[in-house]
Amino acid sequence: MASEDEGPKVRPPENVNITVLRARNLRGSKGDNLNSLVRVEYNNQSLGESPKVESTAEYAAEYNYNARFECTFDDPLTLDEIAYKPVMVTVIEVLPKEKKQKEEKTLLLGQSTVDLLPLLRGENRYKSTLVVHPLPGSPLETAPPDQAKVELDVVVFVNEPLLSEEQLKEVNLLTVSVETLYSPPEAWNPTGAPFIYNVTLPVPITADRETTVVATNGIIKAGTDKDLPSRQKKWCVPGNAQGGAIYIPDSFVPTTNFDEEDGDFTSKEDREFRNEAEMEKTRVTWNIERRCFMDPAAVQSFQNKIAQTRVWPVEIMRTPVPTATKGKGKSEDETPIFYHGVAYVNLAPLLYPGVKKIRGAYKVMAFSDHEVFEKTKRKGGLAEEAIRVATAMNRNASPFAKGGKAPKEEKGGKEKEKDAAKKQPSSMLKPTSDAGSETDVTPPQNLEGMQYVEAKSYLMLEITLQRPLVPKRPPEVLAKRVAELIPPRPLFARRTNGAERAVEDFHSQVASVGNLVLEEFRSLFADQLIQGDLPSGSEPSDERRRKLLYELNTSGKYFAFKEQLKHSVVKIVREKYLKTTTFTDKEELHTFLSELNVFLIDQMHVGLGKVLSLEDETPVPPPLTDSAQLKHFAREAEVNENFEVASKYYQERIARNRNDGDHWFDYGTFCMLINDISKAEECFKETVSINQSHVNGLLLYGIVCAMEERNSVAETFFEMATNVEPNCTLAWTLLGLFYDGIENDIQAEFAFLEANKRNVANAAAKVKSAMPEETEKENVVEGGDAEPEREKVVKTPATPSESGKSHRSGKDKPGSVASAHKKKLSVSSKSAPDGGTRKQSAQSNRPTSQPAEGSQQGTPFEEEIPPREPTPVPETSIFMIAVDFLLEVKAMNFCERALAHELLSPTGGPSAAYYVALARLKLQKKELEEANDNLQEALVLNHQDPDAWAITGHLRYLEGDIGEAKSCYERTLSFVADAREMHSIYLRLASIYLQENKFEDAKNTFLLACKKSPSCVSWLGVGIACYRLGELGEAEDALSEANILNNTDSEVWGYLSLVCLKTNRQLEAEQAYKYALKVGLQDEGLLGEIHEIQEAVGFGNPQF
């Protein structure tokens, strides 16, 4: 008893009931009047036969027959069989007895198959109306097409669902659809001897147990034997079903184009080969669907195995048709196996979030135990087990015997094939050498299997899950999670409650009555007010007050004013003091009235104070600079490493409009530059709080969380960014970089694939938008003509911040570079050139012309294919797009990761743009020597890159090599194309000219900066240059412009003082000097020059 209690409780068996209600439109061998019965079978076992029932053309055959079988729960194979084995219902005609006939004769009319899959989806009762498919020799075969089809009503039910709601959430259903093998070995001949073609693969059903899935009896077809447009799928184990009953009701092979496929042969170069293979060459067709029930342990095991090896072996083989032999001792293990191949199906996409299906063409390789173990960690193959399963299936119901599918071949051909089978049982057993010593070391060669590789054979497969292995969080869940982490800022001000509204109403009524009393006072003493002889003092004031009160009382206005205030006072009593009933105690009433009186007097003063204070307020003048100018000034201060001034500009933008998320975002990126991560996090929080759909804010907050190793929060924000803008290449790339950082390779691969798709789509959109302009100039765009279109793809702008302080950056682990390289190789199979041409292939693989019979000279529809449009090739890879953005927002750790991927990417590599970006990163981190090395590499690859020369100039400027910096800046300005950021080049080159006393060059260079993006610094430079040239009027104008843009710049006030001293304006010179000292002028040279001129002219310093 103790041992029984220790084991888990097993649910008792459940009866599955199949009730055949009726059959309509039956027709027997002698007309519409007939006697019939139904036979119900499941799993090759008869569940019983119904009594015979009469039916006519008007009346259906009412069987109402119930059959059942037990579903046990001690073995998961039972539920697995329910998934893929149908219940077969056979309609049988009972012929009338003839004379001297002992038993009634019967005639098989037709069959129907009942799908039990709804039972595994939680249903406990469902009804189906099935078509009865005629059997060979049945009178239903000769029925005219316009006659109503024979239908069967069947009800399936169980007392309790086979799976509870909790189990339904944990189990899964895997559906494997084996469709067609295209481009088989040339030795395969549709008109030759018949063979059995099998496909097999393992599927876990428990944590430590797998089942062998076998699709057998593939049909070899010639290229001229075309398939129907809608191909219906077959039962994997049809049992005794024949004719149309072998097909699954309402289950068809989908039609997809190349750009929607997974697997191999999806590139542009493979399109023509696939069209030829699928339209002209021999093929083997199965169109079989096998469903596999997986319990929670099996689902976890399946997921773990995919994560470990990624690929899944799908074996394919050919065996001779078994024949009955008279000799004894012949076993199934002796069945020879020919053309043993294997397709390595990449199941990693099933671990992508929300992915439930993969479908594609998978190339077949020669089977090798060593290779299978190396790629899948599995020892041996499933060929022998698959042969046993297929033989058992064909023993129960062989389509060659019942369906007549096998063609009759010449005797000589069959005997010849049998002899070959006996002589060579399996090519896998053939060693590479006859020497005994080599057979122990060298693995055998699969010569027949190599023919798959030579013929470029590929197998069309589809694998579908009922629910994704990795669920994808829906957008509403992500939005809710983001709102929980960062509550959104309310769009409107909160409405005040009743008490506050009552007090505010009292204030407004007091203000209104006050205005009315003031009007009465003005009308009563109008003459004195006009003449201005209104006497002052206490006695005249009291006299005027008494006169005003007398006038208000005698005119009745006093009581009108009281009535006007009464309603607001009543609201205060009800809403604030919650007094709605009469007082019973007089003492309590007096106490309340005194308290109310004090409150009302206080609030009266508050209300009057609000009205009177408005007259004292002076209007605030509008600012002279807008938000964009302030941002430009801040970036300019960053480049000059004047972080205090930059912070002031960013904070001024926020002070002007605190509800603009971009202002907070820009300030947050500045805080990233100065390594103030906590303040940056608060800024990005404010950004998302203001706008929950701010993509850059979501990304940067995710980056900050990833830097602080709050990975679950970071993942939420990265996913939210991809949901807000699903077509954003940057968002998907950063999501992939995040997953790469936490070593989630499969999720990273998925994100990079999505980013590549978006990048190619964006390039295609740009090419498409530019095509009308090109077609006006040229009729045909081909080959080299497509290159100018590609050059129109605009790079993502980024502002270089080469001279900022470095903040904490996480370096990639040593193993991450190798893993990044692996991921890039997998991504390259769906990189930009491939994905961009898939839409065009969808038209070419569906030809409308009929192929010429007997013609093997090429593709018969080649002439009808229109000229292919140029393939859109993105000018910038997804990683360089991310690098430009990350450099701009100063996210150095993610930038290093993106640069590592760009270096290892098959479409990237060490280009000039890569080295320039790496140099910018090193400059931000103050690693000047490494930045110099990277710039030298960039100039070797592209000596005319203006960005490389500009950053080299910045590097020399920071190192103090002024001469070399000037040379680099001048070279940058001589190029036709501008560098990424010209403003800093103008400023630094002009400042060098000032140092070298080249004031005319400095003036012209500063004016170039003012022309493109004026700022206080640029106009100050113009003013200094003009002052040194003696052009005092122009200097004053330039310094005035600088002062308008920034009136707190001490140098501007200092040089204005110099100009005023030179022009003999004493008052203005003293004011300018005073303001220069007030705002903190600390330039000793400038102060000394001012003092010298002050002493020379004798004024300008009030301290003298």
Side-chain angles (χ1 to χ4, degrees):
M1 292 296 292
S3 61
E4 293 180 1
D5 295 337
E6 290 177 0
K9 293 183 179 179
V10 180
R11 177 179 169 181
E14 182 74 29
N15 287 328
V16 179
N17 298 276
I18 301 98
T19 302
V20 183
L21 299 178
R22 65 189 64 83
R24 293 183 294 274
N25 307 320
L26 274 179
R27 179 181 177 86
S29 58
K30 297 183 179 181
D32 294 335
N33 299 330
L34 72 156
N35 293 329
S36 62
L37 58 87
V38 290
R39 179 190 301 140
V40 182
E41 301 174 56
Y42 174 71
N43 201 9
N44 298 322
Q45 295 180 0
S46 175
L47 303 182
E49 294 182 355
S50 70
K52 63 181 180 179
V53 175
E54 295 183 3
S55 63
T56 62
E58 293 80 12
Y59 298 99
E62 298 287 342
Y63 300 112
N64 292 321
Y65 174 69
N66 184 70
R68 68 184 62 181
F69 67 91
E70 282 190 348
C71 173
T72 59
F73 298 92
D74 55 349
D75 190 353
L77 278 178
T78 305
L79 295 176
D80 186 51
E81 290 176 348
I82 290 178
Y84 72 91
K85 289 185 178 180
V87 172
M88 189 174 64
V89 181
T90 307
V91 182
I92 304 172
E93 180 184 7
V94 181
L95 301 175
K97 284 186 179 181
E98 298 180 358
K99 294 181 179 180
K100 299 181 181 180
Q101 183 177 339
K102 295 182 180 180
E103 296 181 357
E104 294 176 333
K105 291 186 177 181
T106 58
L107 177 63
L108 301 180
L109 296 180
Q111 291 178 336
S112 295
T113 51
V114 183
D115 194 353
L116 300 179
L117 187 62
L119 295 178
L120 297 181
R121 292 177 175 166
E123 298 186 26
N124 57 357
R125 184 182 183 88
Y126 62 94
K127 180 181 178 181
S128 302
T129 299
L130 307 171
V131 175
V132 178
H133 301 279
L135 292 173
S138 166
L140 300 179
E141 277 190 322
T142 59
D146 56 348
Q147 184 176 347
K149 293 184 179 181
V150 182
E151 295 180 338
L152 200 66
D153 292 338
V154 180
V155 174
V156 181
F157 65 94
V158 291
N159 294 328
E160 296 291 336
L162 299 184
L163 298 172
S164 63
E165 293 184 2
E166 291 75 13
Q167 289 176 319
L168 287 173
K169 296 177 182 178
E170 297 176 351
V171 301
N172 213 328
L173 192 71
L174 177 72
T175 302
V176 180
S177 297
V178 182
E179 298 176 12
T180 306
L181 174 71
Y182 290 107
S183 187
E186 295 181 359
W188 292 15
N189 188 2
T191 60
F195 287 91
I196 297 178
Y197 300 91
N198 299 320
V199 174
T200 180
L201 71 154
V203 174
I205 56 173
T206 63
D208 52 358
R209 184 177 174 188
E210 290 182 339
T211 183
T212 302
V213 173
V214 180
T216 187
N217 298 327
I219 301 173
I220 187 169
K221 295 182 179 181
T224 55
D225 188 3
K226 302 301 179 183
D227 291 324
L228 295 175
S230 59
R231 295 175 290 167
Q232 195 168 5
K233 294 182 181 180
K234 303 175 185 177
W235 291 104
C236 182
V237 183
N240 294 326
Q242 302 177 50
I246 65 174
Y247 296 100
I248 304 174
D250 301 325
S251 182
F252 297 90
V253 176
T255 57
T256 57
N257 48 26
F258 291 127
D259 57 345
E260 296 177 355
E261 286 186 3
D262 302 285
D264 309 312
F265 299 111
T266 57
S267 64
K268 175 183 62 176
E269 294 76 13
D270 298 320
R271 306 292 171 82
E272 185 176 353
F273 161 70
R274 286 192 58 177
N275 288 330
E276 181 182 359
E278 295 175 14
M279 297 299 171
E280 297 183 2
K281 291 186 178 181
T282 303
R283 65 189 182 281
V284 180
T285 302
W286 287 270
N287 292 337
I288 287 176
E289 179 178 289
R290 169 65 154 88
R291 304 149 176 175
C292 306
F293 176 80
M294 303 171 70
D295 65 8
V299 173
Q300 187 62 41
S301 173
F302 186 55
Q303 186 171 348
N304 293 339
K305 289 177 180 178
I306 295 176
Q308 292 172 2
T309 62
R310 296 199 176 202
V311 296
W312 204 264
V314 178
E315 300 178 36
I316 183 171
M317 67 211 72
R318 188 176 85 167
T319 59
V321 178
T323 56
T325 56
K326 295 182 181 180
K328 296 182 180 180
K330 196 83 172 174
S331 65
E332 296 173 0
D333 296 338
E334 298 179 8
T335 303
I337 299 172
F338 299 99
Y339 293 97
H340 193 183
V342 60
Y344 297 103
V345 180
N346 182 18
L347 297 186
L350 291 179
L351 296 186
Y352 297 165
V355 174
K356 297 189 293 184
K357 181 179 75 172
I358 61 169
R359 183 177 187 273
Y362 297 92
K363 59 183 177 182
V364 182
M365 312 294 292
F367 184 88
S368 168
D369 285 326
H370 175 72
E371 187 179 11
V372 169
F373 178 76
E374 184 178 339
K375 290 187 175 182
T376 67
K377 307 305 178 185
R378 294 174 179 272
K379 295 182 179 180
L382 300 174
E384 290 77 9
E385 177 66 20
I387 294 302
R388 286 193 291 270
V389 174
T391 303
M393 292 164 57
N394 292 327
R395 185 187 300 116
N396 294 327
S398 174
F400 296 104
K402 295 186 179 182
K405 296 291 182 183
K408 293 183 179 180
E409 305 295 338
E410 296 181 1
K411 183 176 181 181
K414 287 187 177 181
E415 290 179 353
K416 188 180 271 187
E417 199 68 44
K418 290 178 184 176
D419 294 341
K422 291 179 181 178
K423 291 179 182 178
Q424 186 180 353
S426 176
S427 60
M428 278 295 298
L429 303 178
K430 182 178 179 181
T432 58
S433 175
D434 294 337
S437 59
E438 291 187 4
T439 56
D440 297 335
V441 178
T442 306
Q445 287 187 353
N446 187 350
L447 300 181
E448 288 182 345
M450 293 299 296
Q451 296 186 33
Y452 289 117
V453 181
E454 296 172 0
K456 298 178 68 174
S457 305
Y458 62 92
L459 183 66
M460 289 298 298
L461 285 175
E462 180 181 286
I463 298 177
T464 309
L465 290 163
Q466 184 177 354
R467 284 192 311 279
L469 295 175
V470 180
K472 183 178 181 180
R473 289 185 286 186
E476 55 272 12
V477 174
L478 284 171
K480 183 179 179 181
R481 177 61 176 156
V482 170
E484 290 175 355
L485 294 170
I486 303 178
R489 184 176 294 183
L491 297 178
F492 305 100
R494 293 181 179 179
R495 296 183 60 184
T496 56
N497 54 29
E500 292 179 357
R501 285 201 302 270
V503 174
E504 290 176 359
D505 185 44
F506 179 74
H507 290 167
S508 62
Q509 294 300 327
V510 167
S512 176
V513 172
N515 287 327
L516 294 175
V517 173
L518 184 59
E519 290 179 4
E520 288 295 325
F521 180 84
R522 288 171 178 171
S523 62
L524 187 61
F525 303 100
D527 296 338
Q528 297 179 10
L529 290 173
I530 294 173
Q531 296 176 2
D533 57 354
L534 192 68
S536 60
S538 60
E539 292 184 2
S541 178
D542 291 341
E543 182 63 26
R544 287 193 295 270
R545 183 175 63 83
R546 285 194 297 269
K547 190 174 180 180
L548 177 62
L549 291 176
Y550 175 78
E551 182 66 25
L552 293 177
N553 282 297
T554 55
S555 64
K557 293 180 180 179
Y558 177 77
F559 298 100
F561 294 158
K562 283 176 59 178
E563 290 296 324
Q564 184 175 346
L565 290 172
K566 182 187 293 185
H567 180 67
S568 59
V569 173
V570 171
K571 286 176 62 177
I572 289 176
V573 173
R574 291 178 177 177
E575 299 293 338
K576 184 171 181 60
Y577 291 96
L578 304 178
K579 301 294 184 181
T580 56
T581 58
T582 57
F583 288 89
T584 57
D585 189 359
K586 290 185 178 181
E587 199 171 309
E588 183 181 355
L589 173 61
H590 289 303
T591 303
F592 171 72
L593 289 176
S594 61
E595 181 181 351
L596 177 63
N597 184 53
V598 172
F599 177 78
L600 291 177
I601 292 175
D602 292 340
Q603 294 302 317
M604 178 192 69
H605 290 299
V606 172
L608 291 175
K610 289 181 179 179
V611 177
L612 297 176
S613 63
L614 292 177
E615 298 179 359
D616 299 332
E617 289 185 359
T618 56
V620 179
L624 299 175
T625 54
D626 57 14
S627 176
Q629 285 180 306
L630 291 177
K631 181 178 179 180
H632 170 62
F633 300 161
R635 292 295 179 89
E636 182 184 69
E638 286 181 16
V639 174
N640 295 329
E641 297 188 7
N642 197 344
F643 299 126
E644 184 178 352
V645 174
S647 177
K648 185 195 70 171
Y649 283 125
Y650 283 124
Q651 291 173 6
E652 185 175 348
R653 294 179 75 215
I654 294 174
R656 289 187 183 182
N657 187 0
R658 299 183 62 86
N659 294 323
D660 193 326
D662 291 335
H663 295 176
W664 289 99
F665 176 80
D666 293 333
Y667 188 38
T669 60
F670 168 74
C671 294
M672 293 277 286
L673 174 64
I674 62 176
N675 203 22
D676 192 347
I677 305 301
S678 60
K679 186 176 290 187
E681 180 181 357
E682 292 300 323
C683 292
F684 298 139
K685 268 188 176 182
E686 288 291 335
T687 303
V688 178
S689 175
I690 294 170
N691 182 6
Q692 299 271 296
S693 300
H694 197 288
V695 176
N696 290 346
L698 293 168
L699 293 174
L700 263 294
Y701 189 77
I703 289 175
V704 171
C705 293
M707 292 169 59
E708 297 177 351
E709 297 184 355
R710 292 181 288 155
N711 294 328
S712 60
V713 178
E715 183 181 15
T716 298
F717 281 86
F718 282 124
E719 285 187 23
M720 184 62 184
T722 59
N723 277 277
V724 170
E725 286 192 17
N727 295 325
C728 180
T729 304
L730 175 65
W732 285 106
T733 306
L734 293 186
L735 178 61
L737 293 175
F738 164 73
Y739 282 130
D740 177 69
I742 61 175
E743 299 181 355
N744 191 338
D745 295 345
I746 293 179
Q747 298 279 43
E749 180 183 279
F750 165 69
F752 291 146
L753 286 174
E754 293 293 324
N756 275 311
K757 290 179 183 178
R758 271 63 177 183
N759 199 23
V760 172
N762 293 336
K766 291 181 181 293
V767 172
K768 187 176 180 180
S769 62
M771 283 298 291
E773 300 177 1
E774 278 301 311
T775 53
E776 291 179 2
K777 300 177 182 179
E778 300 178 6
N779 294 328
V780 180
V781 179
E782 295 178 352
D785 297 334
E787 292 302 323
E789 298 295 332
R790 296 176 185 173
E791 293 177 0
K792 294 182 181 180
V793 181
V794 181
K795 291 185 179 181
T796 303
T799 302
S801 300
E802 300 86 2
S803 56
K805 290 186 178 180
S806 63
H807 63 77
R808 182 175 57 88
S809 61
K811 297 183 179 179
D812 290 337
K813 297 179 180 179
S816 64
V817 175
S819 64
H821 181 57
K822 293 180 181 178
K823 287 193 285 293
K824 293 290 107 25
L825 292 177
S826 63
V827 171
S828 66
S829 63
K830 291 187 178 181
S831 59
D834 304 339
T837 57
R838 292 183 179 177
K839 291 187 178 179
Q840 181 264 333
S841 66
Q843 302 173 359
S844 61
N845 66 357
R846 296 287 184 269
T848 56
S849 61
Q850 295 293 334
E853 295 182 2
S855 176
Q856 301 294 334
Q857 297 180 358
T859 306
F861 51 90
E862 284 181 347
E863 298 179 358
E864 298 185 8
I865 299 178
R868 188 174 66 230
E869 296 180 357
T871 303
V873 179
E875 184 178 287
T876 308
S877 68
I878 60 172
F879 301 110
M880 289 308 296
I881 292 175
V883 166
D884 287 339
F885 173 77
L886 294 170
L887 284 173
E888 186 175 357
V889 299
K890 294 84 179 177
M892 300 183 191
N893 53 348
F894 269 67
C895 186
E896 287 180 336
R897 205 174 297 161
L899 286 170
H901 281 277
E902 173 66 17
L903 181 62
L904 300 176
S905 173
T907 58
S911 61
Y914 165 81
Y915 282 116
V916 169
L918 186 57
R920 291 174 59 195
L921 176 64
K922 298 301 182 182
L923 276 179
Q924 287 187 7
K925 299 175 67 175
K926 295 298 183 181
E927 298 175 359
L928 302 184
E929 293 185 4
E930 296 183 13
N932 182 60
D933 295 339
N934 293 320
L935 289 170
Q936 296 306 315
E937 293 288 342
L939 291 174
V940 168
L941 295 174
N942 185 3
H943 197 68
Q944 297 182 0
D945 189 340
D947 287 328
W949 284 107
I951 299 174
T952 304
H954 293 325
L955 178 63
R956 299 291 179 262
Y957 187 88
L958 294 175
E959 291 176 341
D961 192 349
I962 302 302
E964 188 65 26
K966 183 182 73 169
S967 175
C968 293
Y969 289 145
E970 290 176 341
R971 183 187 291 265
T972 303
L973 295 180
S974 66
F975 288 126
V976 176
D978 287 341
R980 185 186 303 269
E981 175 58 41
M982 296 296 296
H983 187 73
S984 59
I985 298 173
Y986 289 138
L987 295 184
R988 287 183 171 175
L989 178 59
S991 66
I992 293 174
Y993 286 147
L994 283 180
Q995 295 178 28
E996 296 178 348
N997 297 328
K998 297 180 180 179
F999 302 121
E1000 190 66 35
D1001 293 338
K1003 172 186 172 182
N1004 295 331
T1005 307
F1006 275 125
L1007 284 174
L1008 287 175
C1010 294
K1011 182 179 179 181
K1012 290 194 174 183
S1013 50
S1015 66
C1016 174
V1017 176
S1018 60
W1019 281 115
L1020 172 61
V1022 175
I1024 295 174
C1026 292
Y1027 175 78
R1028 299 304 178 191
L1029 291 171
E1031 301 170 355
L1032 299 182
E1034 294 183 6
E1036 185 175 359
D1037 293 339
L1039 292 171
S1040 298
E1041 289 290 338
N1043 190 261
I1044 290 173
L1045 295 176
N1046 183 9
N1047 59 2
T1048 61
D1049 191 295
S1050 59
E1051 285 192 55
V1052 174
W1053 287 111
Y1055 278 99
L1056 277 173
S1057 179
L1058 286 175
V1059 172
C1060 294
L1061 289 171
K1062 287 291 184 74
T1063 54
N1064 296 319
R1065 289 180 288 174
Q1066 180 177 355
L1067 179 61
E1068 294 176 1
E1070 291 179 355
Q1071 288 179 340
Y1073 177 69
K1074 179 179 65 176
Y1075 279 112
L1077 296 179
K1078 184 176 181 181
V1079 294
L1081 179 61
Q1082 296 179 355
D1083 189 342
E1084 297 296 336
L1086 180 57
L1087 284 172
E1089 184 177 359
I1090 294 174
H1091 291 157
E1092 289 179 2
I1093 298 178
Q1094 286 174 346
E1095 292 178 359
V1097 299
F1099 61 85
N1101 190 347
Q1103 296 177 354
F1104 288 165

